[in-house]
Amino acid sequence: MLSDRSSHQPLSRASLAEYFRQQLEQTAERPPQQDTCWYLGNLLERFSRNDALFSYQDGVRSIRPLALLYGEALEAGDERQRCLILRHLGDLALFLGALFPEHYARRGIQRDYFIGMGSGAYAYLADNALHQRPIFAELAEGFVEMLDLVARACRRCRQYSATEIMALYRRWLASGNPAEAAQLARLGITLARNANRH
C-alpha cells in the first residue's frame, strides 16, 4: 500500500489524485487550467489501479488496443456510449504514450500513434460531450504538451539500459522530436545534430 512518508498514513484515492495534481502543477512550465489538472490527477489515480487499466477477455488480462476502442466507438449505438469509449481511448492514449513510449516503440508503435488517437478522441469530446468540454478542448489542443507534462510529473526512478538509451537516441536522430531530446538531456546526454547528415 502507498503511504505518505511525512505522516506514514496510507494514501487514499483522493490524496493520490491530489498528489498527482500537485506534481503536474509543480512540473509544468505553464500549467494547464486548474480543472484540467484535476482531471489529469484523477486520470493518473484511476490508472494506478489494475481494474481501470486492464481488461479481461477469455481469461486473459490485457490492455485494450487503441484501434479496437476506436472501432467500438464508431460502432456505438448511441452518443453517450460513443463518448464514454472515446474518453477511455483518450485517457489511455495519454497514459500509455506518456509513461511507456519505449515499450511501445520497441513494438513499432510510435508517439504519433498516441498523439493522433488521443487528440482525436478528446477533440470529438470537446464538441460532443455533455460535460467537461473545456477540459477536453485543452487536452485535444495541447495533447503533445500533456504527454510531456504527464511523463515529467510521473518520472519513474529507474535506470535505462545502454540499449534503451541508444534506441531513444536513434529515434531522436530520425525525428528530431523535442520530447525525446528532453528525455535524453535528463539522462545527461548532450545532443548535437550533424547538419550534413543525409
Side-chain angles (χ1 to χ4, degrees):
M1 175 177 282
L2 294 172
S3 65
D4 180 346
R5 290 181 183 182
S6 61
S7 64
H8 300 290
Q9 297 296 316
L11 284 173
S12 67
R13 288 183 179 176
S15 63
L16 183 58
E18 171 66 11
Y19 168 79
F20 284 128
R21 185 188 65 77
Q22 290 174 356
Q23 293 301 307
L24 291 161
E25 288 180 345
Q26 291 170 5
T27 304
E29 294 174 12
R30 193 180 51 155
Q33 296 295 320
Q34 187 174 22
D35 287 345
T36 304
C37 277
W38 279 105
Y39 183 90
L40 292 172
N42 288 327
L43 180 158
L44 292 169
E45 180 279 322
R46 189 171 73 249
F47 284 134
S48 72
R49 301 187 320 267
N50 283 343
D51 64 326
L53 183 59
F54 294 99
S55 63
Y56 292 87
Q57 188 170 3
D58 300 326
V60 177
R61 184 177 76 163
S62 64
I63 297 174
R64 295 291 311 269
L66 301 181
L68 288 181
L69 288 172
Y70 180 73
E72 289 176 12
L74 290 177
E75 296 172 1
D78 61 65
E79 190 63 26
R80 180 181 177 280
Q81 185 66 21
R82 180 174 292 115
C83 286
L84 286 173
I85 295 169
L86 287 173
R87 178 178 173 177
H88 183 64
L89 189 159
D91 292 353
L92 196 57
L94 181 58
F95 181 79
L96 297 175
L99 297 183
F100 304 102
E102 295 87 6
H103 169 77
Y104 286 97
R106 287 192 297 269
R107 297 171 59 190
I109 301 172
Q110 299 301 319
R111 179 180 166 98
D112 289 345
Y113 176 74
F114 294 104
I115 294 169
M117 286 290 197
S119 62
Y122 287 139
Y124 185 90
L125 294 168
D127 291 337
N128 297 283
L130 293 177
H131 307 287
Q132 301 178 315
R133 285 186 180 192
I135 293 171
F136 295 131
E138 186 173 16
L139 291 171
E141 292 165 12
F143 193 84
V144 173
E145 291 80 13
M146 299 299 171
L147 274 177
D148 296 338
L149 174 59
V150 169
R152 286 194 310 273
C154 297
R155 189 177 308 131
R156 294 161 298 171
C157 298
R158 68 179 285 255
Q159 297 295 317
Y160 289 88
S161 71
T163 303
E164 289 174 314
I165 294 170
M166 286 306 297
L168 178 62
Y169 179 71
R170 285 188 198 103
R171 284 197 309 276
W172 171 78
L173 278 178
S175 69
N177 185 325
E180 291 168 348
Q183 189 176 1
L184 286 164
R186 286 192 298 273
L187 292 169
I189 297 170
T190 304
L191 302 173
R193 288 184 79 117
N194 182 348
N196 296 323
R197 188 170 61 90
H198 297 288

